[in-house]
Amino acid sequence: MTGRLPKGWSRARVDDLAALVQYGSSSKTSEDEAGIPVLRMGNIVDGRLVFEGLKYLPHKHEEFPELLLKPGDVLFNRTNSPELVGKTAVFTAEHPSPCSFASYLIRLRFREYEPNLFAAYLNSTHGRAWIRSCVTQQVGQANVSGGKLKELEIPVPPLNEQRRIVAKLETLRARSSRAREALDAVPALLEKLRQSILAAAFRGDLTRHWRAKNKDVEPASKLLERIRIERRKKWEESELAKLKAKGKAPTDDRWKSKYTDPERVDTTRLPDLPEGWCWAAWQEVGFSQNGRAFPSSEYAEDGEKLLRPGNLHVSGKLEWTQANTRRMPRRWAEEYPDFVVGGNELVMNLTAQSLKDEFLGRVCLSGPEERCLLNQRIARLTPIGLPPRYWLWFFKSPMFRRHVDTLNTGSLIQHMFTSQLDEFAVPIMPLAEANLLIELLSERLEGARATMMLVKEQSARFPEIDRAILAKAFRGELVPQDSNDGAARIPNAGPDPDPGSSELPNSGKRTRNTRRKAS
């Protein structure tokens, strides 16, 4: 750290302030909990020591007592990947004792210098910059030697001011921790809110007042009758196009007799719907098309995008990144035009390794300018009569998600099939009510999404805030200075101020519960 120091402060090398043990225990450890816990790099988490995943040394070990930790000892991780070098934590009286430390940790025992202030300095912008500046590479790993750590020059406030700074940092850290915990809880609450809104939508709660004021609106049963007529018309158009493409243009209407009306849904076990609504099977109100197996051996640098499960984002939009985008030569789209997905089309994932994050049955609505190939294990859903966005929200609602959860076979790879989807009972509401519902859902779910983005932005600011607090601490601006503190005192260099005892304290066997409580 360079620049002018606050009044009464000084600078000193670490070697003038602390005794170092450059290498912890290198002996073989075991999982015998009757032994001495050996703290390792993984036990340093966010500047604190955690007592999980411990390894142990026997009590009667030739390396003791110089490797036993005492309250106030600082552990510094000297080697690993560059971002992990310099991880630091302070061993306190609240931690279980006795404890030792691993060979790749350095132990510092300070004389008249607050160990927590030193740990804070290493986490500050100045400390991290120093660590980056003196890292060396050894067999693929970064390293900061004990010799370099001894030469590190750090600011030294008067001892009483050090204690006030540490106390203030602890207070701010506790406040920050509470704020982080509160923000961390928000995403789960917002997801519950989203599911609650969608559940209310398809129970009819969101449009209840509208129905009360529009009792003469055409019931959904009439809309369903028109949908059935439109469904047959679309089937005939598609079938005729296929026959002509094969050079088999019909000369009469006998081919139309191949059309089969979808089975009507059995409503005897279904719950009652709001007045004016009705039940239908998905196959009555929409078509399902399975994708095609496009060969991965023909992936190309340029060409048509290939829609795969990883492109279906939980937000309900298709996501294309450099990592998840694959392309096929354009001739595939020319040869199989029926498998080209265009704008504002619904697609659904039919396979997943788990039911997490709605991945199985995840539905997305393509963007207005979308164009991609429909790959295998993804279905295109083409609704009739009701807008695609109505179905986007429905297939994300608890009503449908509960159905997907029942498809769990317990196998590693989960599957669902369009035949299962075709038979699923879906609620149909009047078209005017559906259009209103789309507006209401867009407004309310957008509010939840905006809140989520704000939470992410605020969470991302914590490291910046932490750095700003530490910067103030080492500029002398975090706590008031007191002229009664006098000037900083640099103790004379000397041996370990507390070399330890040849006796092991608390040498009796400790239980797992004791350690957990202590940590």
Side-chain angles (χ1 to χ4, degrees):
M1 179 178 179
T2 58
R4 187 174 180 180
L5 291 175
K7 185 178 179 181
W9 289 33
S10 184
R11 291 190 180 92
R13 296 181 312 136
V14 168
D15 195 34
D16 294 329
L17 299 171
L20 275 68
V21 174
Q22 298 195 37
Y23 301 97
S25 173
S26 59
S27 300
K28 186 176 181 180
T29 58
S30 71
E31 296 184 0
D32 182 2
E33 298 183 2
I36 301 295
V38 178
L39 298 178
R40 298 175 293 168
M41 182 198 69
N43 298 112
I44 302 176
V45 179
D46 294 332
R48 303 280 180 163
L49 289 174
V50 297
F51 287 73
E52 299 174 358
L54 292 172
K55 299 292 184 181
Y56 301 86
L57 285 170
H59 278 269
K60 295 180 180 180
H61 197 275
E62 64 273 11
E63 294 177 338
F64 299 142
E66 61 270 18
L67 297 185
L68 290 180
L69 294 170
K70 293 183 177 294
D73 285 351
V74 177
L75 294 178
F76 175 92
N77 181 52
R78 63 178 176 81
T79 184
N80 207 285
S81 58
E83 65 274 12
L84 297 180
V85 169
K87 286 179 64 175
T88 305
V90 179
F91 189 82
T92 70
E94 288 75 25
H95 292 141
S97 182
C99 277
S100 185
F101 56 100
S103 61
Y104 42 80
L105 298 179
I106 297 174
R107 190 220 71 190
L108 300 95
R109 187 167 290 168
F110 282 88
R111 312 175 189 87
E112 300 185 39
Y113 193 90
E114 280 290 324
N116 283 293
L117 189 62
F118 176 73
Y121 182 79
L122 288 180
N123 285 319
S124 72
T125 302
H126 298 295
R128 295 308 304 175
W130 172 80
I131 290 171
R132 289 192 299 270
S133 71
C134 62
V135 160
T136 58
Q137 292 293 130
Q138 293 185 357
V139 196
Q141 288 194 321
N143 182 279
V144 174
S145 68
K148 289 183 178 179
L149 187 58
K150 286 182 177 182
E151 296 301 316
L152 169 61
E153 194 174 74
I154 60 175
V156 183
L159 188 57
N160 285 337
E161 187 173 350
Q162 291 181 36
R163 292 166 179 159
R164 291 198 301 275
I165 293 173
V166 168
K168 184 67 173 181
L169 288 174
E170 285 298 313
T171 298
L172 294 175
R173 182 182 180 120
R175 186 183 301 172
S176 176
S177 179
R178 292 193 296 270
R180 289 175 197 247
E181 290 175 0
L183 284 178
D184 288 344
V186 171
L189 294 174
L190 286 175
E191 177 58 22
K192 288 182 179 180
L193 173 63
R194 187 180 73 92
Q195 291 297 321
S196 176
I197 291 171
L198 289 171
F202 294 97
R203 286 196 308 262
D205 294 350
L206 295 189
T207 49
R208 179 185 291 116
H209 296 304
W210 182 89
R211 285 194 305 278
K213 295 179 180 179
N214 294 272
K215 294 183 177 297
D216 58 345
V217 71
E218 180 188 70
S221 57
K222 294 291 185 182
L223 173 62
L224 184 56
E225 289 176 8
R226 292 200 305 275
I227 288 175
R228 288 173 178 145
I229 295 171
E230 183 67 16
R231 186 185 191 280
R232 175 160 191 154
K233 179 182 177 182
K234 287 183 178 296
W235 178 88
E236 290 177 354
E237 291 173 351
S238 175
E239 193 69 14
L240 182 59
K242 292 177 183 177
L243 292 171
K244 289 182 177 180
K246 295 177 181 178
K248 299 179 180 180
T251 57
D252 55 42
D253 288 344
R254 285 182 296 178
W255 61 276
K256 295 183 179 180
S257 63
K258 295 181 179 180
Y259 179 79
T260 303
D261 277 315
E263 288 191 23
R264 306 293 174 91
V265 67
D266 181 4
T267 61
T268 56
R269 296 184 178 180
L270 294 175
D272 293 335
L273 290 173
E275 185 177 356
W277 292 24
C278 67
W279 289 105
W282 164 252
Q283 61 184 348
E284 292 184 80
V285 296
F287 294 99
S288 303
Q289 177 195 5
N290 286 300
R292 185 187 187 283
F294 290 93
S296 58
S297 59
E298 291 211 25
Y299 286 169
E301 292 293 327
D302 193 20
E304 300 288 351
K305 293 181 295 186
L306 179 64
L307 184 63
R308 304 184 303 152
N311 301 120
L312 276 65
H313 194 263
V314 69
S315 65
K317 299 179 180 180
L318 297 185
E319 184 177 77
W320 303 96
T321 66
Q322 184 175 0
N324 72 15
T325 301
R326 300 292 182 272
R327 296 180 181 272
M328 299 294 294
R330 288 189 171 84
R331 61 180 176 80
W332 287 95
E334 297 169 0
E335 188 173 351
Y336 297 98
D338 290 346
F339 292 92
V340 175
V341 176
N344 297 312
E345 293 204 69
L346 287 169
V347 290
M348 180 179 287
N349 181 33
L350 301 179
T351 187
Q353 290 187 345
S354 75
L355 300 178
K356 184 181 179 182
D357 295 333
E358 302 180 357
F359 197 42
L360 183 66
R362 178 179 292 179
V363 64
C364 288
L365 184 64
S366 64
E369 306 299 325
E370 187 60 78
R371 178 182 170 90
C372 58
L373 290 168
L374 186 67
N375 202 13
Q376 63 179 340
R377 304 308 306 150
I378 297 177
R380 175 181 5 217
L381 310 180
T382 305
I384 306 165
L386 287 169
R389 192 164 290 276
Y390 172 88
W391 294 109
L392 172 71
W393 298 134
F394 173 75
F395 287 125
K396 285 185 169 294
S397 74
M399 187 180 293
F400 180 69
R401 295 309 311 173
R402 284 195 296 268
H403 171 67
V404 174
D405 290 344
T406 67
L407 304 177
N408 185 359
T409 62
S411 60
L412 180 62
I413 305 297
Q414 306 295 324
H415 299 285
M416 60 182 294
F417 304 93
T418 52
S419 57
Q420 295 169 317
L421 180 62
D422 286 344
E423 298 171 356
F424 184 68
V426 296
I428 307 299
M429 62 182 70
L431 182 58
E433 188 173 356
N435 287 329
L436 172 64
L437 183 64
I438 292 170
E439 292 182 14
L440 293 175
L441 283 175
S442 297
E443 176 184 329
R444 298 189 184 192
L445 294 176
E446 173 58 27
R449 189 198 68 82
T451 302
M452 180 69 79
M453 293 300 296
L454 181 61
V455 168
K456 290 181 178 179
E457 290 174 4
Q458 295 303 315
S459 295
R461 291 189 61 201
F462 277 113
E464 177 185 343
I465 294 172
D466 290 343
R467 288 192 294 270
I469 291 172
L470 291 175
K472 289 190 68 174
F474 292 102
R475 289 198 303 264
E477 300 172 0
L478 191 63
V479 297
Q481 290 188 288
D482 188 339
S483 59
N484 294 323
D485 291 339
R489 178 177 177 272
I490 309 299
N492 294 326
D496 188 333
D498 189 1
S501 170
S502 59
E503 298 293 325
L504 290 177
N506 304 324
S507 59
K509 181 175 180 179
R510 288 167 289 114
T511 65
R512 184 185 303 272
N513 288 337
T514 300
R515 282 194 307 279
R516 183 178 293 119
K517 182 178 181 181
S519 64

